[in-house]
Amino acid sequence: MRNSPFAIFRRNQRQLMVVVTGLAMFAFIFLDDSILRGGQLPRMLGVVFVALVCAGGLWVIGAPRGKGNEWALYGALLGAVVAFFGLRAQTSGGVVVETSIGSFTREEFREIAQRRAVANRFVMSAAPGQSQGFGNLDDQSLLQRTILLHEARTRGISVSDEGVLDFIKKITDDRLALDNYQEILRDLGMPEAELFNILREELAAQLALQMDLPPAQQSGMGTLETPLTFWKEFQMLQVRQSLEAAAVPIGPFVATVPEPKDTELAIWFESYKSKLPSADGQPGFLQDRQVNLAYVEADFEAFEKNVPEPTDSEIAEYYETNKEALYQVQDLPDLPSLTPFLDEPASALQPANVQPAAPAPPDATLPPAPDKPENGAAARTVPDVPIKLVSFQTEADPKLAEPEKPAVEKSADEPKSEPPAPTSKRDLQLLPTLSGMPSLPPSPGAKAAEEPKYKELDDNLKSEIRDRMLRVRAFEAMGNATDRALDEMTRLADKFLAAIEPAEQKKVADEITESIKRYAAANHLDYKETGPMTQNELFSSTSETIGAAQEPSANPFQRGSSVAEEAFDGDVTYYPKRADSVLRDKRYAYWKIADVPARVPEFKDVRDKVAEAWKLDQARPRAEKRAKELAELIEKSDKPVAETLSGQTVTGATDSDAVTVRDTPRFSWLNMPRNLPFQFNPMFSPPPELSPVDGIEGAGQDFMKKVFEDLGPGDVGVAPNQSRSVFYVVKVKQRDATPTQGEENLGLKALQQQFLVTGRTGFAQGPYMYLNRDRLISLLNDWRTTYERGYDVRWNNAERDMEQPE
């Protein structure tokens, strides 16, 4: 056919080849790989590209008629107009966020991210290890940069070239050589002027940020603490008190709430359908994101039973190898010498280091005993015999020898006894031992018996070494088995990644699941699946402890992210990873087999759940009202709380449960957790936590604030628990260090003295560091929320969830 497209192509083959070649060169030069991969074209390049295509097409059509150039011109104009408005409409539909200073599309955020990425790369290249750059590349950070740059321009904040140079000198300590600087520019692929413009923008935004940050944050060192702030934090950890408490739960009041209509529930559902339930009892019906993990588990107890017992020769070899480090006999420290105390005479009646009293005359005797004892006791005579002092002196010291006393005459029938030999130092060393006291050390010249250097390899030590070797072998076998399982899962994961079609992926997933089950059974491993779980459920589950496990590390004091955090960090499935339990008694190789994103349910699917939450919400103020009525009864009565509330019921109705009053033990607002792994490591300092209160279900910050700050000793009030499911009528019984009027308070003085001592050691450590950080995070979040509200920020969540710029 004469006018068919193929005939036109054959007649204009040479010209068309020129056009196609030109378009190919244009694409090769201007459309780089990163732009094509991202699926986004800069708007002007897109307009030019479409104009060229239209121009070439109309030239082909107009050339046979002798109007090729004219039609090509019209085609270029038409293509440019269509491309301009088409791309504008497309990008306007992809708005990520709307603000009072304009709307920003994904393409614009990508361009901003590219400029910040260049600035960050320069800073980290010029000063490696000293600076992390100007900020992140997420949407929140990019919007903040845009708003701050707008504020800087509005206020006339500008940064000169000298200011940029000063910044570079500061971060590099003025040590950046010219050669290194030029090499960084070549790596960035841009001229110096463009780099200065980018740094100028970032520095101007930083200056605007410093001007708008809360005063406590402008120094960049955290919140500005005052002595009063530290005193309050100190009291939260140290002051203890006890309560009388009566619980008024909201459960019994649910029955008093009438059944709602579907129209009421539907309206109420709309208010909370996109929210998650909060810890303070606020309802939410958004179905949270859930993941399902599959893993193989190596358990220590199982592996300890399967590892081979060490032989006697292996135990002996272990002993010889480790006896220097583990089995040396530890010598006890030498006791201080008592020789100086033996330089003076000592007796059983007078210690050696006490000046003795003047000696009695030789003929002195004890006074005679009274004829009649007191209290009617039987008479007892004391023999009239002088007491001879026994000297504890050496035989070689004649000048200190006791003077000879006249002997007492004995009868002829009484056997004569030899006079006692003088007591030597050797005897002195034995005497305390016989009396239960520690013996004195031998004299320096005495030769002690030779003590063995190492512990004897007896049956007890062999048993100890055997247990140690079994533990080491079990842990080693666990690690090897888990590492091999990880390799096997990696091999199987390649098969899943090679599948493209969803049906094929489902088939491969079932196959590799059965394969890893067989592998686990053959290698003393357990195969398990968690089932769909939210992040909080996975981390806090007691039946599936893998959620709290962490990536293994050679440093036992360095812990990484938990499995619960890793599992929700991305959406990739069948990507195997390793983890160890906190106590290292379980080791895992795991992967994510399902990732269900959060979604808003249909009302009809959750109607019963909505009705239940609605009734609880309606019952809550009724329970609070009843609790306030009971508190008023206590305030008006001068009787004890239990006696005042005797006969009262929870709801006030006669068929309701009786109110029960409980005395709580003493507790503080915060406490330091105990019995945690690694808590004895000096580098490990756990954060303080709310104290559990016996008798109070789920006491939260609101409860603690009420009973510690709003109420004083003897005061009565109503305090809700964390979930606001129970309202407690409380009376403060006793509190430590309560200030008193007109009299000295020793408890308060002691607490203040302890506070001053703690202050000298520094409040920038331990629990106070965590409390300061929490307050800093809260302050910044409040500031960011207020800042965005001032610019009427409205996020398009669908666009915001798109791929973030790299």
Side-chain angles (χ1 to χ4, degrees), residues 571-588:
D571 58 358
V572 179
T573 55
Y574 292 95
Y575 183 81
K577 295 183 179 181
R578 274 273 286 111
D580 291 345
S581 65
V582 175
L583 298 179
R584 308 295 179 96
D585 60 333
K586 296 181 186 294
R587 299 189 174 180
Y588 309 95

Side-chain angles (χ1 to χ4, degrees), residues 691-739:
S691 299
V693 185
D694 188 18
I696 305 298
E697 178 186 339
Q701 289 286 0
D702 290 342
F703 180 90
M704 295 297 186
K705 182 179 184 302
K706 183 70 177 180
V707 300
F708 276 99
E709 289 188 354
D710 299 344
L711 300 179
D715 291 346
V716 180
V718 175
N721 67 347
Q722 175 69 18
S723 62
R724 302 182 70 82
S725 60
V726 183
F727 289 88
Y728 289 95
V729 183
V730 296
K731 181 176 182 178
V732 180
K733 286 181 61 178
Q734 184 272 339
R735 180 182 296 168
D736 294 342
T738 302

Side-chain angles (χ1 to χ4, degrees), residues 95 97-105 108-109 112 142-154 787-794:
V95 171
V97 63
E98 297 179 4
T99 69
S100 59
I101 60 175
S103 300
F104 300 95
T105 65
E108 290 170 324
F109 266 14
I112 298 171
L142 297 177
L143 175 64
Q144 180 174 306
R145 175 194 184 276
T146 305
I147 291 177
L148 291 172
L149 190 57
H150 171 79
E151 282 291 327
R153 291 166 179 166
T154 302
Y787 205 78
E788 290 190 356
R789 189 182 299 120
Y791 283 90
D792 193 21
V793 175
R794 299 181 302 279

